[in-house]
């Protein structure tokens, strides 16, 4: 049960740690609606609010350090009106949170030119698909309007303005207009994003091992009470055996000391006896051989004296 709880805690913790360093690139595709009641129609794309129609809420904000690109996609009919207009101008402005213009870009736009023979041949070849509605006489134009690296002050909205060429007041006909925003991560965060599942696995493994070490080191009696009790009983038994061995060892050491003293005393006694006998024999060397003999009674007396002296040493020790 404890290991399962540690595993669940480890999963939540490693997800939080990786999410702290993980950033997702921003990709947004939204429709733009130009206000043709104005002289220069304008459409506003807000990062954190509703669009021009207020129908959707976007939860999008480009993190600081990411570089984002803004593209505009126009779907225009191949009408005579648009061909006669020719060139018109698109202006994009990036607004900050306080309403100031951070950066601005303008692009000239026109339909792809097709001559009359090409248009007739295409109409002849694509007649049936055109009649069936499979194909249409439209052109889709993609324009990169802005490129900006997010920093402070933060960006808030993009404003797109349609303007006719000088000397005219005609604006192009549009079927649909879309804005596309795509951000790029810095190389370090891009690496983390590409290897995020590997980071999840290794971070989870390291955190789990760390939790196990802490639990075993700090809460071992709670996790393994039987093992701890067994170790304590074994220590007590070992301590009792050592205490019971101490008197035996002390008694044996006393006996060894006594035997060493007796052996030393006997050795010194033999030395003194040998010196004494050698001196006596040298003094009576010139006398008769009978005087050099030692009787059994004298020997017995000497032995008795030795025994009595040894007994007295044992009692004194």
């Amino acid at each position: 049960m404890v290991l399962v709880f540690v595993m669940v805690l480890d999963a939540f913790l490693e997800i939080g740690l990786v999410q702290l360093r993980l950033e997702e690139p921003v990709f947004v595709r939204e429709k733009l609606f130009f206000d043709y009641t104005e002289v220069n129609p304008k459409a506003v794309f807000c990062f954190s609010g509703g669009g021009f129609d207020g129908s959707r809420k976007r939860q999008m904000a480009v993190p600081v350090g990411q570089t984002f690109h803004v593209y505009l996609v126009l779907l225009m009919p191949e009408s005579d009106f648009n061909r006669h207009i020719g060139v018109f101008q698109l202006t994009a402005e990036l607004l900050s949170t306080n309403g100031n213009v951070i950066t601005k870009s303008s692009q000239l736009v026109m339909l792809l030119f097709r001559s009359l023979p090409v248009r007739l041949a295409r109409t002849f070849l694509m007649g049936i698909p055109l009649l069936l509605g499979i194909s249409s006489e439209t052109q889709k134009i993609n324009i990169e309007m802005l490129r900006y690296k997010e920093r402070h002050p933060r960006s808030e909205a993009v404003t797109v303005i349609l303007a006719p060429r000088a000397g005219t007041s005609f604006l192009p006909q549009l079927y649909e207009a879309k804005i596309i925003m795509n951000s790029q991560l810095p190389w370090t965060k891009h690496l983390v994003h590409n290897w995020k599942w590997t980071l999840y696995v290794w971070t989870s493994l390291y955190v789990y091992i760390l939790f196990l070490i802490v639990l075993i080191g700090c809460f071992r009696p709670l996790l393994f009470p039987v093992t701890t009790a067994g170790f304590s009983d074994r220590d007590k038994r070992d301590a009792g055996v050592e205490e019971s061995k101490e008197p035996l060892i002390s008694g044996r050491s006393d006996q060894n000391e006594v035997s060493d003293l007796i052996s030393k005393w006997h050795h010194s006694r033999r030395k003194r006896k040998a010196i004494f006998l050698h001196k006596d024999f040298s003094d009576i060397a010139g006398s008769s051989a009978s005087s050099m003999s030692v009787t059994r009674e004298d020997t017995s007396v000497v032995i008795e004296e030795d025994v009595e002296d040894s007994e007295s040493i044992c009692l004194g020790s």
Side-chain angles (χ1 to χ4, degrees):
M1 185 64 183
V2 177
L3 295 179
V4 174
F5 174 75
V6 171
M7 189 177 297
V8 173
L9 181 62
D10 168 60
F12 283 105
L13 186 59
E14 61 92 9
I15 290 174
L17 290 176
V18 175
Q19 288 294 330
L20 289 177
R21 298 296 304 169
L22 183 63
E23 287 185 5
E24 295 289 339
V26 177
F27 181 80
V28 179
R29 183 193 295 267
E30 290 292 334
K31 288 184 178 181
L32 287 180
F33 300 93
F34 290 95
D35 186 5
Y36 270 77
T37 61
E38 299 179 358
V39 177
N40 295 327
K42 180 171 66 174
V44 179
F45 170 72
C46 296
F47 292 173
S48 58
F52 184 80
D53 59 346
S55 60
R56 294 184 62 183
K57 292 285 185 180
R58 285 179 291 275
Q59 297 178 355
M60 185 277 298
V62 180
V64 176
Q66 293 190 20
T67 302
F68 62 90
H69 302 260
V70 178
Y71 300 90
L72 194 64
V73 180
L74 300 178
L75 184 63
M76 302 175 62
E78 291 184 345
S79 61
D80 295 334
F81 183 80
N82 283 340
R83 283 197 299 269
H84 290 148
I85 286 176
V87 178
F88 61 95
Q89 185 168 324
L90 279 173
T91 303
E93 296 177 348
L94 183 64
L95 304 179
S96 64
T97 53
N98 53 15
N100 296 327
V101 177
I102 299 174
T103 183
K104 184 177 180 181
S105 173
S106 296
Q107 295 286 342
L108 296 176
V109 184
M110 66 175 297
L111 287 175
L112 182 64
F113 174 75
R114 288 172 182 166
S115 63
L116 181 59
V118 173
R119 293 200 303 270
L120 293 175
R122 184 176 180 273
T123 303
F124 177 75
L125 294 174
M126 301 294 293
I128 296 176
L130 287 172
L131 293 175
L132 295 177
I134 299 174
S135 179
S136 61
E137 294 180 311
T138 58
Q139 288 190 24
K140 183 178 288 187
I141 303 174
N142 296 320
I143 311 107
E144 183 178 0
M145 299 301 299
L146 293 172
R147 183 178 183 273
Y148 178 73
K149 185 175 182 179
E150 185 68 15
R151 60 178 66 93
H152 294 283
R154 302 296 300 275
S155 56
E156 178 68 21
V158 176
T159 302
V160 182
I161 302 172
L162 283 174
R165 73 174 186 267
T168 64
S169 59
F170 301 108
L171 295 171
Q173 297 173 339
L174 299 177
Y175 277 148
E176 188 180 47
K178 289 183 179 180
I179 188 170
I180 298 174
M181 178 178 290
N182 186 16
S183 68
Q184 295 179 352
L185 299 172
W187 71 271
T188 53
K189 295 181 180 180
H190 182 70
L191 183 64
V192 173
H193 181 265
N194 289 340
W195 292 82
K196 61 181 178 180
W197 295 112
T198 305
L199 289 176
Y200 279 134
V201 173
W202 284 105
T203 305
S204 175
L205 180 61
Y206 288 147
V207 173
Y208 186 71
I209 292 174
L210 181 62
F211 280 165
L212 288 181
I213 292 173
V214 172
L215 285 175
I216 294 175
C218 300
F219 304 98
R220 184 176 179 180
L222 298 177
L223 297 176
F224 309 103
V226 178
T227 306
T228 307
F231 280 122
S232 62
D233 294 341
R234 185 182 299 174
D235 294 338
K236 290 180 181 179
R237 288 197 300 269
D238 293 340
V241 170
E242 290 179 357
E243 291 177 358
S244 62
K245 286 182 179 179
E246 286 180 358
L248 296 176
I249 293 172
S250 61
R252 290 178 183 176
S253 63
D254 295 339
Q255 292 178 1
N256 292 331
E257 290 178 358
V258 172
S259 62
D260 290 339
L261 290 173
I262 292 173
S263 62
K264 288 180 181 179
W265 183 83
H266 279 297
H267 183 68
S268 62
R269 181 78 175 181
R270 290 191 197 97
K271 283 185 178 181
R272 290 195 301 270
K273 189 185 292 183
I275 293 170
F276 178 76
L277 291 175
H278 180 71
K279 188 182 292 185
D280 290 342
F281 285 150
S282 63
D283 292 338
I284 62 176
S287 63
S288 63
S290 60
S291 63
M292 295 173 63
S293 62
V294 179
T295 62
R296 183 179 301 175
E297 294 177 357
D298 296 334
T299 306
S300 62
V301 171
V302 172
I303 294 170
E304 289 177 358
E305 290 178 357
D306 293 341
V307 171
E308 290 176 357
D309 292 337
S310 64
E311 289 177 356
S312 64
I313 290 173
C314 293
L315 293 172
S317 63

